[in-house]
Amino acid sequence: MKEVDARGLSCPEPVMLTAEAMKQTTETVKVLVNEPHQRNNVENYAKKQGRKVTVKEIGSEFEILIEA
């Protein structure tokens, strides 16, 4: 599983890092973010690419799993 730690980054960096990770692997990509708008942007991007997305809220952060 490839992991992207995008906590504390400004948009569009989380989406850009997610896109790059999705291109590099056929495995599930885990993205960590700490802002709701980051979660929404990454989730929407992955869904537009036809991927299944699962979001888990952990405290004040979000773990986004993007399946290949």
Side-chain angles (χ1 to χ4, degrees), residues 16-33:
M16 292 168 54
L17 292 172
T18 300
E20 188 61 32
M22 287 170 59
K23 288 178 192 172
Q24 292 176 358
T25 186
T26 57
E27 297 180 311
T28 297
V29 175
K30 176 165 70 172
V31 183
L32 303 173
V33 295

Side-chain angles (χ1 to χ4, degrees), residues 22-67:
M22 287 170 59
K23 288 178 192 172
Q24 292 176 358
T25 186
T26 57
E27 297 180 311
T28 297
V29 175
K30 176 165 70 172
V31 183
L32 303 173
V33 295
N34 61 329
E35 296 289 336
H37 68 276
Q38 295 169 322
R39 184 204 75 193
N40 290 336
N41 291 343
V42 169
E43 184 178 4
N44 289 337
Y45 172 78
K47 285 181 177 178
K48 285 180 184 173
Q49 302 305 309
R51 303 290 187 99
K52 181 181 176 199
V53 180
T54 306
V55 179
K56 185 174 11 172
E57 192 169 345
I58 303 170
S60 62
E61 299 181 342
F62 302 95
E63 177 183 274
I64 305 162
L65 296 177
I66 303 167
E67 295 181 35

